[in-house]
Amino acid sequence: MWELIRANKQKSLMLFFVMGICLVVLGYFIGGAYGGEEGTFFGLGLALFIWIFMSVISYFSGDSIILKMSKAKRVSPNVHPQLFNVVEEMKIAANLPAMPKVYIIPDPAPNAFATGRNPQNASIAVTAGLLSKLNRDELQGVIAHEMSHVLNRDILFMTFSGVLLGSIVFLSHVFLRSMWYTGGRGRRYSSRSKGGGQIQMIMMIVAILMAILAPLMARLLYLAISRKREYLADATAVRLTRYPEGLASALEKISSTDLNLTSANKATAALYIINPLKPKGSKLSNLSSTHPPIDERIKVLRTIAGGANYINYQNAFTKIAGRGRRSNIIPSSAIHDKKNIDLRTIAKPEPAGTKKGVRDLGDLIRAVNKYVFISCLCGMKMKIPPGFKKTEFPCPRCGRINQVPIAELAVLAGVTQGLEKQHPQKETTPVHKQIFAYHRTGKSWESFNCPCGSAKQLSPAFNKDFFYCNKCGRKIEVKS
Amino acid sequence: MIMLFVFIAIVVLVFMFIGFYNSLVRLRNQVKNAWSQIDVQLKRRHDLIPNLIETAKGYMKHEQDTLKAITEARSKAMGADSVGEKSKAESALSGAMSKFFVVVENYPDLKANQNFLALQEELTSTENKIAFSRQSYNDQVLFFNNKIQMFPSNIVAGMFNFKQEDFFELEDKTERAVPKVDFSS
């Protein structure tokens, strides 16, 4: 595994270097086109400044910007225990030093991505649609794929090269636009000597050429590498889970939807496990796509035989993609690791009753958005939004007055706040020491809900002043 | 002049000696750390089982034998000390558990119990965590044992009495493959 990470790092550095030179040369010629020989240094400086400035920002807060942009919300384990379990399993399998932060994007389109500076500060975000669609094995495959991006240090590399690409595109865009509006007449004639003008002329032509070509080249390079990394992450995911079928069927399910992830855009598309922006069916998209064709990924995963090591993935890939193409997905140093890792071929039985429907998806999205669920005695399930102020709420079906668990709403908000600030949860009065008063309306059978949500019934024969809730331990005073 | 060479040679040897010793100690600590990872998960499984039995007891009146087998396997596993004993006892426990989950199929009420579902998810996850941490433990042990056996670090290992560690083999292949159960019906 370590050889692979090292090879990956070297490649990242190479790409970084090539793209950096691209940017600097572009800056040099653009500067030359405007200000002659002195201009070249100015342009060079400007290009470097943009690059460094953006890199620093993306290093320190790139992950939080990306997470905000994709509307991901940090969640606590009780929103989706299975997701947290699976992430922890993969953390153990990948031997990561710390548990990645877990985010859910409240969107019905299934997708996932990972981001972060290094394995110590990684974040994994999945959409609610993904969670409602996949079973445990498939979810494990997807999380393993994301964990591989963390493990192979792809997350930092993708952010950095994305920023670099952005700088190049930005510079050439500004330049071409200014050419468009000034008709290329800029400050060209203000130069002092004729020779200078000629050099500037040449500079100008080269700059225009560069401005058109550099973003194209850089983008193609970036895309080629990002596609390769998807294969690599698939290979690592298989190595971690030993179960290629999980990831394969997850990819199949994810790709079969028509839903578009609304919060994704061109800048973040490369991060996701499959391209969230569906290209409108053209063959050219193969070259300009951030992701390898999904059918091929699935086919490769299903062809793997004999073991879960990298060499098995490489063999399967060669079989599918053919020898004609240059098809070394895995760096040769990692192939030498010939240790045989057994594949798991049998699906783990799903816990019973986990059939998921549209309603569950809605509930999950609400849970991410900090709704509180209470159930009325008549069986009605009510969803209370986080900003709800009233303490009582009549059931829309039977008209019973239900207690709104204000404390729970506050605690939920508090928990998430605590998560964001990395502070431990503030201490509140323990539930079993709280007192809740209920006023009897008559002498017959009466039902109400304890603030914890459990249903209580009072018989006509009840004559004590209080009793304890058997679920939360609260003291419930009964007043007539 | 010769004295100087001898001196340098001795210094180099001493440093090599220290290096081998330190790397052996580091590896042994890594093995211990990996083992504690497994131990945490095994403990978690032992803690979850009583809850599971408690939940299932009411529903499974006719399966007292299955439940008893789990309880016995659990107490045996908790009593085990060495790595070898533990791997045997834990695989017996795993076997009892997988039998239990097959039997559960006949009890739709139990399968619908929210509490039971949550427990089942926790147990599945714990089993997975055990499997994954077992893999990393075995990798570490292999590394450590190789170092102890190979020249020249075996000299240092012999002098300071570094002992080879046991692998943690949970079950044979037939047991590892969880019986396939169709849930669609």
Side-chain angles (χ1 to χ4, degrees), chain B residues 6-47:
Chain B
V6 169
F7 180 71
I8 289 174
I10 289 174
V11 167
V12 167
L13 275 178
V14 164
F15 269 95
M16 270 173 69
F17 189 81
I18 293 173
F20 281 129
Y21 179 77
N22 283 351
S23 74
L24 277 170
V25 169
R26 191 172 50 241
L27 281 175
R28 190 170 59 188
N29 286 342
Q30 274 172 5
V31 168
K32 270 187 196 151
N33 179 41
W35 174 251
S36 71
Q37 297 282 333
I38 299 185
D39 225 28
V40 168
Q41 302 303 335
L42 290 177
K43 279 218 179 72
R44 170 126 184 88
R45 179 156 79 163
H46 296 157
D47 293 345

Side-chain angles (χ1 to χ4, degrees), chain B residues 73-91:
Chain B
R74 170 178 176 264
S75 49
K76 225 178 247 169
M78 284 176 84
D81 263 337
S82 73
V83 174
E85 273 177 50
K86 267 199 177 170
S87 27
K88 240 186 218 158
E90 291 294 342
S91 24

